[in-house]
């Protein structure tokens, strides 16, 4: 029985019919889940269109610093302080301002699409000038704007820093960064994003990895769960889902169940190499055709020394330095090893059999890819 047919069944007369219907939906989802050793939840491999965050940014001032604010050379800080005081009815001379207890900062925050007026947001405060530390500072009222230029939130409050610094005449001590801080729940949303999630008749799923097999596995899992062909793939990473009539205007129960669908992701065979750290990561689908490999190290050591030739006493000779050079050549005598990897374990065993270190693996894998024996995408970071 499909979820849709379960939802179309006669409702119980008692007030708990919603609980019964949601329980039937959850049971159907669990029964229709595809079995697989590598199954993951849908919400771990895809994102749902409309469920996103919006970036907010603002320019503000942090006051109350203990002499660690911007220097006099930061003209924008001086101008900001003078402008703020003038708005408050205080006449000041910009040339006499010394904002050592004030720092100009950029304030950033993420506002979810579901945020409504009155919602509190965490904000990050970053020094913009040459302030040495924001420790002990308080952020003054700062408008937070979106990309459209509208003000969506107002931020204010004392900063919380994860670092500390101290300095003297001949020594300086610092732990973590002291020019970036946060204000927990420091911003209050004043305007929400005009988006009605439940008003949608069609949903969009964006796959995190571009793979046709994974996308079709997701489409098949959704359609099998819902009992009809509600989902379709537009391209390699985009899935369109027509909302069943039973969920029109109430999408939350549907999405809460679908996001826990288990799917089996697939992907290209890939080998990732980080030459900076010597890290090598091999995917489970990596295959190796029959190939012979020999890997050895050639070491040449050149040692220079100087001997002194000293003439006899009362002779007319001169002291002469004669250079001495010793050259040693050492080469490992490694034999050819036949390697063929039908599985990842066999490939690892073959590489270990020739005593390859992580640095050696990088050279071997590059050579195997050039020879056409490594059937995987080699990505060098």
């Amino acid at each position: 029985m499909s979820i849709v047919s379960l939802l179309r069944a006669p409702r119980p007369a008692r007030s708990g019919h919603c609980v019964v219907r949601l329980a039937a939906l959850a049971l159907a989802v669990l029964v229709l889940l595809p079995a697989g050793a590598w199954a993951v939840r849908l919400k771990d491999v895809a994102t749902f269109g409309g469920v996103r965050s919006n970036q907010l940014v603002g320019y503000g001032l942090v006051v109350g610093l203990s002499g660690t604010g911007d220097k006099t050379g930061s003209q924008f800080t001086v101008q900001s302080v003078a402008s703020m005081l003038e708005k408050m009815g205080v006449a000041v001379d910009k040339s006499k301002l010394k904002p050592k207890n004030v720092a100009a900062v950029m304030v950033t925050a993420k506002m979810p699409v579901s945020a409504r007026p009155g919602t509190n947001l965490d904000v990050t405060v970053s020094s913009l000038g040459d302030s040495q530390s924001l420790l002990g500072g308080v952020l003054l009222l700062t408008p937070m704007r979106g990309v459209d230029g509208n003000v969506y939130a107002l931020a204010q409050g004392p900063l919380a820093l994860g670092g500390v610094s101290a300095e003297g005449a001949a020594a300086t001590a610092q732990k973590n960064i002291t020019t970036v801080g946060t204000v927990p729940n420091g911003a209050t949303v004043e305007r929400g994003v005009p988006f009605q999630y439940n008003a949608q008749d069609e949903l969009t799923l964006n796959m995190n990895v571009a793979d046709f097999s994974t996308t079709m596995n997701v489409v098949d899992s959704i359609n099998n769960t819902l009992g009809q062909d509600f989902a379709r793939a537009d391209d390699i990473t985009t899935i369109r889902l027509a909302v069943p009539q039973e969920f029109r205007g109430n999408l939350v129960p549907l999405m809460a169940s679908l996001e826990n669908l288990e799917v089996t992701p697939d992907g290209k065979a890939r080998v990732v190499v980080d030459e900076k750290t010597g890290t090598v990561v091999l995917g489970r689908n990596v295959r190796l055709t029959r190939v012979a490999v020999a890997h050895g190290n050639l070491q040449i050591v050149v040692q220079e020394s100087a001997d002194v030739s000293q003439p006899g006493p009362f002779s007319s000779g001169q002291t002469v330095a004669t250079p001495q050079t010793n050259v040693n050549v050492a080469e490992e005598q490694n034999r050819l090893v036949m390697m063929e990897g039908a599985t990842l374990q066999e490939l690892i065993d073959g590489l270990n059999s020739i005593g390859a270190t992580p640095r050696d693996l990088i050279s071997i894998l590059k050579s195997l890819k050039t020879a056409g024996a490594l059937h995987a995408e080699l990505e060098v970071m």
Side-chain angles (χ1 to χ4, degrees), residues 309-354:
S309 177
Q310 184 71 27
F314 305 103
S315 66
S316 60
Q318 295 180 355
T319 302
V320 178
T322 58
Q324 298 291 330
T325 301
N326 295 323
V327 180
N328 296 321
V329 179
E331 183 177 8
E332 294 182 4
Q333 300 297 326
N334 287 335
R335 298 179 179 179
L336 284 172
V337 177
M338 188 65 66
M339 296 174 55
E340 182 177 10
T343 64
L344 178 59
Q345 186 60 49
E346 292 175 359
L347 176 57
I348 294 175
D349 293 340
L351 294 174
N352 289 335
S353 66
I354 62 176

Side-chain angles (χ1 to χ4, degrees), residues 59-85 92-105 127 129-134:
Y59 170 81
L61 294 174
V62 171
V63 299
L65 304 177
S66 181
T68 59
D70 293 339
K71 306 300 186 294
T72 308
S74 299
Q75 294 299 322
F76 50 86
T77 305
V78 176
Q79 295 174 3
S80 300
V81 173
S83 177
M84 177 191 65
L85 294 176
V92 294
D93 185 359
K94 295 182 181 180
S95 61
K96 296 183 179 180
L97 285 177
K98 296 182 179 180
K100 62 179 182 178
N101 293 338
V102 183
V105 294
S127 175
D130 53 1
S131 172
Q132 297 178 355
S133 174
L134 299 179

